[in-house]
Amino acid sequence: MKIFHNPDHRAHSGRHEMYRGRLVACHEVPARLDHVMNELQHRPMGELLAPPPAPRARLERVHSARYLDFLAHAWNEWVAQDPANAEMDVLPSVWPARGFRSDVPPDNFSARVGLFSFDAGTPLTAGTWQAAQTGAACALAAADAVLAGDRSAFALTRPPGHHAGPDFLGGYCFLNSGALAAQALRDGGAQRVAVLDVDYHHGNGTQTVFYDRADVLTVSIHGDPRTEYPFYLGHADETGEGNGLGTNLNLPLPRGTGFDTWLAALDTAIARVHAFRADALVVPLGLDSFEGDPISGFTLRSADYPRVGERLAAMGLPTVFTFEGGYAVAEVGINTVNVLEGFQHTRA
Ligand code: Q9C
Ligand code: ZN
C-alpha cells in the first residue's frame, strides 16, 4: 500500500496540555510517528510518499471557512498580543456552553480560541497549521490513491484527526483526516462510504461531520464515554438524525475490555458496514487500545493487532487508513505495522 507520510509533522510539537488542573507534558509527541517510520524501515509495507499540497477547497468540504481562517492565523495573532507569547502554546480557557452564542466570533483572541475548541488539552503551536495542512494532504492523497484503484493506502500523519469537527479542535486534533478522506472518496465517485474508527476514544468529530447524512456510515468502537474522553458524545443511543438516521453506530465498551470482547465489537461493526453496502472504507487507526497505553483502558496486546488487520482486509473494500491515537510511544510503531501486516497478507 502507498503510505503518505507527513514531512511537516515535527512542526507541531506541543509543550503542555491541561490535566487535572496543571500543565503536563504532551502525550501526542513527534516521536510517535518517528517510531512508525522506523518500524516501516524494518518491515516495509509499501512506498513511502510525501503528499501533494491540499487545496483549501478540499478542506472546506469538511471544515468551515471561519475555522480554517482561525487556524491559519491563530499563531500570528497570539504572538501579536505579546511577543513573549512565542515561548508558550495557545490553550483555551473559556468556552461557549449551552445558551451562549457561537455565531458571533469575538474580536478577543482568547474568546475565539474557546469558540473553536472543546478542551484545554490540545495546544496550538507555531507549526501546527503547517503540520495539520500537510496531514490533511496525506489523507486526501490516500483517498485519491484508492480512487485510482489501489486496494488500500495509509495516511501516516500527526497531529491526529478524529476528534476535530467542522469548526472545532480538541483531543489533540485540528483537521479531521478520516472525514476528509471519506468526503474525498464520495467526491471521487464512491456512492456509500463507511468510517470504522478503532481508536480507544470515540470519534466525535467524524460522527458530528456526518451525523445527518445517509451517504457516510460512521461506526466507532471506544471506551464508554460515561468514564472516558471525550465524555459528551459516543453513547450507543446516538444513531444519526434526519437523512442520517440509522447511519451512525457507537459501540462503547467498559474500561478493562480485552481482545475477545473487543473483537466481537469489531465483528458487529463489520456486519453493519456490509449491511450498509459501503463501496469504500476509512479506518481511523488509533493504537491506544493497547494494554500499555498510558491514557487509555483496553488491554489489547501487540500480537492481537495482525488479527485486526486480517479482519479489516477480509471485508474486501478499498480502504484508507488514517493514523490517530496511541501513546505507548515505544510500541506504537510495532502495533501500527502489525495491523498493516495482517491487512496486507489477507485477501478477501
Ligand atoms: N488523562 C486521540 O487519541 N486527553 N486523542 C486525555 C488523559 C484527551 C486523545 C487526558 C485524549 C485525546 C486522537
Ligand atoms: Zn484516542
Side-chain angles (χ1 to χ4, degrees):
M1 71 177 73
K2 292 192 181 84
I3 299 168
F4 294 95
H5 71 99
N6 181 350
D8 297 329
H9 80 90
R10 260 178 223 85
H12 175 69
S13 181
R15 294 173 173 92
H16 42 236
E17 60 184 84
M18 184 64 81
Y19 179 63
R20 294 186 182 167
R22 340 173 146 244
L23 293 174
V24 303
C26 289
H27 297 282
E28 202 292 289
V29 293
R32 299 175 58 244
L33 198 141
D34 297 336
H35 279 280
V36 182
M37 292 289 276
N38 191 50
E39 188 65 20
L40 286 168
Q41 301 300 320
H42 293 102
R43 288 190 284 160
M45 293 292 138
E47 215 179 337
L48 276 165
L49 300 161
R56 158 106 180 191
R58 297 186 81 181
L59 306 184
E60 287 187 11
R61 297 289 292 142
V62 166
H63 296 286
S64 74
R66 72 176 198 173
Y67 176 60
L68 295 171
D69 288 340
F70 163 76
L71 288 180
H73 302 297
W75 183 257
N76 283 349
E77 288 191 56
W78 170 241
V79 176
Q81 279 194 330
D82 180 346
N85 282 352
E87 301 309 313
M88 291 180 285
D89 296 344
V90 179
L91 286 177
S93 55
V94 60
W95 295 269
R98 290 145 303 286
F100 285 94
R101 288 179 63 169
S102 54
D103 59 320
V104 188
D107 294 336
N108 179 281
F109 178 71
S110 300
R112 238 167 333 110
V113 179
L115 179 62
F116 294 116
S117 65
F118 71 92
D119 73 12
T122 310
L124 190 152
T125 74
T128 297
W129 175 235
Q130 187 57 50
Q133 278 185 102
T134 307
C138 291
L140 295 169
D144 290 346
V146 162
L147 284 166
D150 289 10
R151 178 193 184 216
S152 63
F154 183 25
L156 175 52
T157 181
R158 54 168 295 282
H162 77 149
H163 294 302
D167 65 355
F168 55 83
L169 62 88
Y172 315 149
C173 303
F174 299 86
L175 298 177
N176 191 317
S177 327
L180 287 161
Q183 185 62 50
L185 290 166
R186 280 286 294 117
D187 291 341
Q191 291 301 304
R192 284 174 305 280
V193 176
V195 181
L196 202 180
D197 189 323
V198 299
D199 186 279
Y200 178 76
H201 305 95
H202 174 244
N204 64 286
T206 321
Q207 171 172 315
T208 296
V209 168
F210 297 115
Y211 205 58
D212 64 356
R213 285 172 49 173
D215 57 332
V216 179
L217 171 72
T218 44
V219 182
S220 181
I221 304 169
H222 50 265
D224 190 327
R226 284 179 176 81
T227 61
E228 306 308 298
Y229 186 93
F231 307 119
Y232 310 112
L233 208 63
H235 299 284
D237 65 352
E238 298 156 15
T239 57
E241 67 184 12
N243 288 339
L245 196 60
T247 61
N248 187 77
L249 176 63
N250 285 329
L251 298 167
L253 299 169
R255 264 192 102 78
T257 292
F259 187 56
D260 290 350
T261 303
W262 192 94
L263 200 58
L266 182 64
D267 286 338
T268 301
I270 288 170
R272 175 62 72 90
V273 174
H274 286 313
F276 179 70
R277 292 183 300 116
D279 38 29
L281 176 67
V282 176
V283 178
L285 180 59
L287 290 305
D288 38 13
S289 54
F290 179 55
E291 61 178 350
D293 196 274
I295 63 168
S296 307
F298 293 161
T299 63
L300 275 65
R301 300 178 174 189
S302 294
D304 297 329
Y305 288 104
R307 298 188 55 200
V308 176
E310 289 165 12
R311 284 288 218 285
L312 295 171
M315 295 173 75
L317 292 171
T319 302
V320 172
F321 292 94
T322 63
F323 188 54
E324 302 289 343
Y327 308 100
V329 175
E331 292 94 349
V332 75
I334 291 164
N335 294 342
T336 301
V337 179
N338 278 1
V339 173
L340 302 183
E341 194 167 81
F343 187 94
Q344 293 277 54
H345 78 220
T346 306
R347 294 281 136 187

